[in-house]
């Protein structure tokens, strides 16, 4: 422990017990000592001070106890989790020595040795901290290679701490390799980086790597509470939880925000102080916004967003908080024990648990995906609040839509279709099932939109009879009926049928066919029939296309006609004659009866018929 009577050591209190912060010491001229920010004042001095890094501390403790100390370490993690601090503590552990000259490398650093103070303050002659961002050239590394050969001045080891090592140039990394692999016995290297992927694998393979984790919110809240007690600062638990959330697992960020909050509040730190300082949305109002969106109440959702925006909340922050609460509800649904998290506010525990019981994972997952896409749109928009409002409109409209598997279940169960209405359906033209009872997919699905007041009943339009599609020819006829000539031609020319059954079509594509034909056909069939069709392209050879079948049928008819004795006689009687078409008069008559266009007799009422149709020519074959 630090001796509280030592003025120099009192500037850096250890975390064990959190001794009260000392009063500022006057300088030689009587002026008070300069203020030290909390991130520096409460910087960890030994491994027991580190929070959230238990795995790394246990590994290092065992390695030092067993004498298995490597020549280099690589520390990686996000900003503010303690990479540089850990490097200094490692340097202190390597060079620990008692005033009587005894001691060995150890991780038990609760008492300061003769080198510890200078190492922690970054001013020891044998512990060199190098900023790779400004010393990234080959010449800088050559200077290290030349100096590393000489023995330390006073400590046991020469320790080189290279911060942001990923910023070294390629040549500098190459110049480092030989020294890093076989350094002198008195030299140790500690690297720190936030971009581990930018460090060459040849360097990583020569180091022991430790990934420093983000600190959990509950541990961070406890840490901030201890510091507040040490600083004699009164702070609400919810305010500290808001700081921990804003810090995103970074201890340094949380201390910087706390430092700012102490000055901002000028007294007791409240949640409102943190919100106004950071521009955060009220947590309870975010939950109200979530509830309005899940109910499909667009007017309330837009009004709440606009109210938060007028109060100073950033639209991106509001949507981020909405996504965070969506994630929380999902966690509470899947892991009910998460409600015991100390960083959660009371409203989050109670109302979040209620939403977790009423909403399905599918709905929450869809909301999460839409929010992620919407946040990116809002960040790029010229008018973020308008973009955020459009995101809420999409969310509210999708709140009571069934998921694809639920919609298919409804279609299979024959629930029919009705026009979509406000609150009267689910947005897909299907009636919403009752909220209780039944075993259908939607009957068991908790939808917050059911909490809306039911609108006045309206007359439902009678649904048009669904087209019966039992063969590929029916599909072609349906395309012709809807005047989709492009799709009709593609169906006749490019599809080699493999399997056809109601709701499913499998085929292979002819050469030169469009690769999007399956998707286009599935979409059109859904529009025309009101059912979802599974249309798939397979690797089987498949049958002939409809155009090939028609051509083969025509060739067969012409071949049969040419073999008829009467046709043979005509062809022999008129050299050079050929058969251009073979028609069945009975089929032609049936088509004319069904056609709307005028018949040939209506165009030529006084003309004599070219042929006598009282009996078919050549046994029913016309040419």
């Amino acid at each position: 422990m630090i001796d509280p009577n030592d003025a120099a050591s009192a500037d850096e209190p250890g975390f064990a017990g959190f001794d009260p912060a000392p009063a500022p010491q006057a300088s030689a001229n009587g002026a008070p000592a300069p203020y030290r920010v909390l991130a520096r004042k409460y910087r960890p001095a030994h491994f027991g001070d580190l929070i959230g890094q238990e795995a790394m501390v246990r590994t290092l403790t065992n390695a030092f106890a067993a004498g298995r100390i490597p020549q280099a370490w690589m520390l990686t993690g996000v900003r503010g989790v303690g990479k540089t601090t850990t490097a200094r503590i490692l340097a202190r552990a390597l060079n620990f020595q008692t005033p009587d000259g005894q001691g060995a490398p150890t991780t038990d650093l609760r008492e300061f040795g003769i080198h510890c103070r200078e190492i922690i303050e970054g001013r020891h002659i044998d512990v060199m901290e190098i900023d790779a961002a400004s010393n990234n050239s080959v010449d800088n590394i050559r200077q290290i290679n030349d100096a590393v050969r000489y023995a330390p001045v006073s400590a046991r080891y020469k320790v080189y701490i290279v911060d942001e090592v990923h910023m070294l140039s390629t040549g500098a990394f190459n110049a480092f390799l030989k020294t890093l692999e076989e350094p002198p016995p008195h030299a140790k290297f500690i690297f720190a980086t936030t971009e581990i992927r930018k460090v060459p694998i040849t360097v990583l393979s020569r180091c022991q790597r430790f990934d420093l984790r983000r600190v959990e919110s509950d541990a961070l809240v406890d840490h901030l509470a201890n510091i507040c007690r040490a600083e004699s600062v009164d702070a609400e638990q919810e305010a500290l939880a808001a700081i921990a959330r804003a810090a995103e697992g970074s201890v340094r960020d949380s201390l910087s925000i706390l430092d700012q909050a102490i000055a901002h509040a000028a007294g007791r730190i409240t949640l409102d102080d943190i919100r106004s300082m950071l521009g955060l949305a009220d947590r309870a109002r975010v939950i109200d916004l979530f509830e309005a969106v899940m109910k499909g109440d667009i007017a309330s959702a837009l009004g709440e967003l606009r109210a938060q925006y007028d109060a100073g909340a950033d639209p991106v922050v509001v949507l981020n908080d909405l996504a965070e609460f969506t994630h929380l509800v999902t966690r509470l649904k899947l892991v009910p024990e998460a409600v015991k998290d100390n960083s959660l506010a009371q409203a989050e525990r109670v109302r979040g648990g209620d939403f977790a019981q009423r909403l399905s994972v599918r709905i929450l997952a869809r909301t999460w995906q839409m929010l992620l896409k919407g946040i990116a749109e809002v960040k790029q928009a010229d008018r973020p609040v308008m973009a955020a409002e459009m995101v809420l409109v999409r969310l509210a409209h999708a709140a009571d839509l069934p998921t694809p598997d639920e919609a298919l279940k409804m279609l299979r169960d024959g629930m029919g279709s009705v026009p979509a209405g406000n609150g009267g359906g689910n947005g897909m033209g299907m009636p919403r099932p009752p909220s209780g009872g039944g075993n259908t997919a939607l009957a068991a699905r908790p939808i917050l939109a059911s909490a809306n007041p039911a609108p006045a009943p309206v007359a439902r339009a009678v649904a048009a009879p669904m087209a019966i599609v039992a063969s590929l020819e029916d599909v072609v006829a349906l395309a012709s009926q809807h005047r989709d000539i492009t799709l009709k031609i593609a169906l006749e020319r490019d599809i080699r049928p493999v399997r056809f059954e109601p709701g499913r079509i499998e085929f292979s594509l002819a050469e030169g066919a469009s690769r999007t034909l399956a998707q286009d056909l599935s979409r059109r069939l859904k529009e025309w029939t009101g059912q979802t069709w599974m249309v798939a392209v397979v690797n089987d050879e498949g049958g002939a296309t409809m155009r090939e079948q028609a051509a083969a049928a025509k060739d067969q008819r012409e071949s049969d006609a040419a073999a008829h004795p009467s046709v043979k006689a005509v062809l022999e009687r008129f050299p050079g004659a050929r058969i251009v078409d073979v028609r069945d008069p009975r089929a032609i008559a049936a088509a004319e009866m069904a056609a709307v266009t005028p018949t040939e007799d209506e165009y030529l009422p006084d003309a004599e018929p070219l042929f006598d149709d009282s009996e078919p020519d050549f046994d029913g074959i016309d040419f």
Side-chain angles (χ1 to χ4, degrees):
M1 288 295 294
I2 302 172
D3 185 1
N5 297 321
D6 184 357
S9 65
D11 291 338
E12 294 283 356
F15 284 129
F18 281 103
D19 298 330
Q25 300 292 324
S27 60
N29 57 6
Y35 175 71
R36 305 189 73 187
V37 296
L38 297 180
R40 294 185 59 195
K41 186 175 182 179
Y42 292 97
R43 196 168 197 167
H46 55 82
F47 287 112
D49 292 347
L50 293 174
I51 61 172
Q53 313 300 338
E54 291 77 10
M56 179 191 69
V57 171
R58 182 173 62 253
T59 303
L60 290 174
T61 301
N62 294 338
F64 272 72
R68 306 177 68 88
I69 302 176
Q71 76 270 16
W73 292 270
M74 178 71 68
L75 307 178
T76 178
V78 298
R79 84 279 174 206
V81 293
K83 297 184 296 297
T84 305
T85 298
T86 302
R88 290 181 179 180
I89 296 175
L90 263 175
R92 183 187 167 197
L94 290 168
N95 290 316
F96 182 79
Q97 190 175 359
T98 58
D100 58 0
Q102 302 298 318
T106 179
T107 56
D108 185 6
L109 305 173
R110 288 171 293 181
E111 295 183 1
F112 272 51
I114 59 177
H115 304 292
C116 294
R117 174 61 56 189
E118 294 177 349
I119 293 175
I120 287 297
E121 294 177 356
R123 54 186 177 86
H124 197 283
I125 191 173
D126 290 325
V127 178
M128 286 143 283
E129 294 190 22
I130 302 166
D131 177 20
S134 54
N135 300 277
N136 55 8
S137 66
V138 177
D139 291 337
N140 298 125
I141 302 304
R142 285 174 180 167
Q143 293 176 7
I144 296 176
N145 292 341
D146 292 338
V148 77
R149 295 176 297 173
Y150 301 102
V153 176
S154 60
R156 184 179 298 109
Y157 292 104
K158 262 190 173 182
V159 181
Y160 292 87
I161 301 174
V162 185
D163 202 6
E164 301 300 335
V165 69
H166 66 274
M167 301 192 73
L168 290 178
S169 64
T170 303
F173 274 123
N174 292 335
F176 223 148
L177 292 179
K178 189 61 178 177
T179 300
L180 189 59
E181 184 172 11
E182 297 178 358
H186 59 263
K188 302 293 181 183
F189 295 92
I190 306 174
F191 302 120
T193 179
T194 55
E195 299 286 345
I196 190 65
R197 292 182 179 86
K198 295 183 180 179
V199 180
I201 189 64
T202 51
V203 173
L204 289 176
S205 64
R206 290 166 167 84
C207 306
Q208 279 194 7
R209 171 177 169 178
F210 291 97
D211 292 80
L212 277 70
R213 303 183 305 169
R214 294 179 185 267
V215 180
E216 298 292 338
S217 295
D218 53 351
L220 205 50
V221 169
D222 293 339
H223 183 64
L224 295 176
N226 290 335
I227 290 180
C228 286
R229 284 193 292 270
E231 291 288 321
S232 300
V233 173
D234 190 12
E236 291 181 354
Q237 188 76 6
E238 292 187 353
L240 298 181
I243 293 175
R245 285 195 297 267
E248 297 179 342
S250 170
V251 181
R252 184 177 61 225
D253 287 5
S254 66
L255 293 178
S256 298
I257 297 173
L258 179 62
D259 220 340
Q260 183 180 355
I262 294 173
H264 177 83
R268 178 178 172 81
I269 302 176
T270 65
L271 182 58
D272 290 336
D273 293 329
I274 303 301
R275 290 197 193 106
S276 60
M277 184 182 74
L278 300 180
L280 301 177
D282 187 336
R283 204 64 178 173
R285 299 186 68 173
V286 169
I287 299 175
D288 292 339
L289 180 60
F290 179 84
E291 183 173 12
V293 169
M294 291 296 99
K295 284 182 177 180
D297 191 348
I298 301 176
S300 297
L302 295 181
E304 180 61 37
L305 174 64
R306 183 62 66 167
Q308 294 187 30
Y309 177 73
D310 294 339
D314 186 347
V316 176
V317 175
V318 174
L319 291 186
N320 272 316
D321 287 345
L322 203 60
E324 184 179 347
F325 186 72
T326 302
H327 172 261
L328 172 63
V329 174
T330 307
R331 284 193 66 212
L332 293 178
K333 186 173 187 66
L334 301 177
V335 187
E337 293 79 9
V339 75
K340 301 177 182 177
D341 190 345
N342 292 333
S343 64
L344 297 181
Q346 183 66 18
E348 292 175 317
R349 291 191 182 96
V350 176
R351 300 181 66 183
D354 179 57
F355 290 137
Q357 294 178 1
R358 300 167 62 189
L359 292 171
S360 68
V361 176
R362 294 185 181 93
I363 300 302
L364 293 170
R366 181 174 62 191
T367 303
W368 171 261
Q369 292 294 334
M370 294 178 70
L371 280 171
L372 287 186
K373 186 175 184 297
I375 290 170
E377 293 176 358
V378 174
K379 288 181 178 178
Q380 298 175 359
D382 295 332
R383 298 187 177 182
V385 67
M386 295 183 180
E389 288 178 342
M390 295 308 297
V391 173
L392 294 185
V393 169
R394 293 202 299 266
L395 284 170
H397 273 287
D400 58 351
L401 291 181
T403 56
D405 58 334
E406 293 170 344
L408 288 174
K409 173 70 173 175
M410 294 175 66
L411 288 173
R412 285 196 297 266
D413 292 346
M415 297 183 66
S417 61
V418 296
N422 294 332
N426 54 27
M428 289 185 66
M430 299 179 185
R432 181 179 297 140
S435 58
N439 294 322
T440 63
L442 289 186
R445 169 175 168 244
I447 303 175
L448 291 184
S450 61
N452 285 339
V458 295
R460 296 179 177 176
V462 178
M466 291 187 180
I468 299 176
V469 181
S471 64
L472 187 59
E473 288 75 11
D474 292 339
V475 178
V476 174
L478 203 56
S480 178
Q481 177 184 344
H482 288 82
R483 300 180 182 275
D484 194 336
I485 304 304
T486 302
L487 181 60
K488 177 178 180 294
I489 293 174
L491 292 173
E492 294 174 341
R493 180 189 61 194
D494 300 332
I495 284 184
R496 299 187 181 278
V498 174
R499 178 184 178 189
F500 190 101
E501 61 184 36
R504 184 178 185 87
I505 303 176
E506 294 181 0
F507 57 81
S508 59
L509 294 175
E511 185 177 356
S514 171
R515 297 301 176 185
T516 64
L517 181 55
Q519 294 89 333
D520 296 341
L521 178 57
S522 177
R523 185 175 63 254
R524 290 299 188 186
L525 283 174
K526 185 173 182 179
E527 293 176 2
W528 296 338
T529 66
Q531 299 179 356
T532 300
W533 284 71
M534 300 296 295
V535 181
V537 177
V538 297
N539 294 327
D540 296 347
E541 183 176 355
T545 66
M546 294 183 66
R547 184 169 292 185
E548 292 172 346
Q549 294 176 14
K554 180 181 179 182
D555 292 343
Q556 185 63 39
R557 289 197 303 270
E558 291 178 358
S559 176
D560 294 342
H564 195 280
S566 301
V567 177
K568 275 186 177 182
V570 173
L571 293 177
E572 292 172 357
R573 182 70 178 82
F574 299 96
R578 61 186 181 88
I579 301 173
V580 296
D581 197 8
V582 180
R583 303 172 184 170
D584 187 347
R586 291 164 294 189
I588 296 175
E592 289 178 349
M593 290 292 294
V596 180
T597 56
T599 62
E600 184 181 54
D601 291 339
E602 292 175 356
Y603 283 115
L604 302 172
D606 299 328
E608 293 291 334
L610 297 178
F611 298 97
D612 183 7
D613 292 337
S614 58
E615 56 185 45
D617 298 321
F618 306 112
D619 294 336
I621 301 176
D622 188 14
F623 66 96

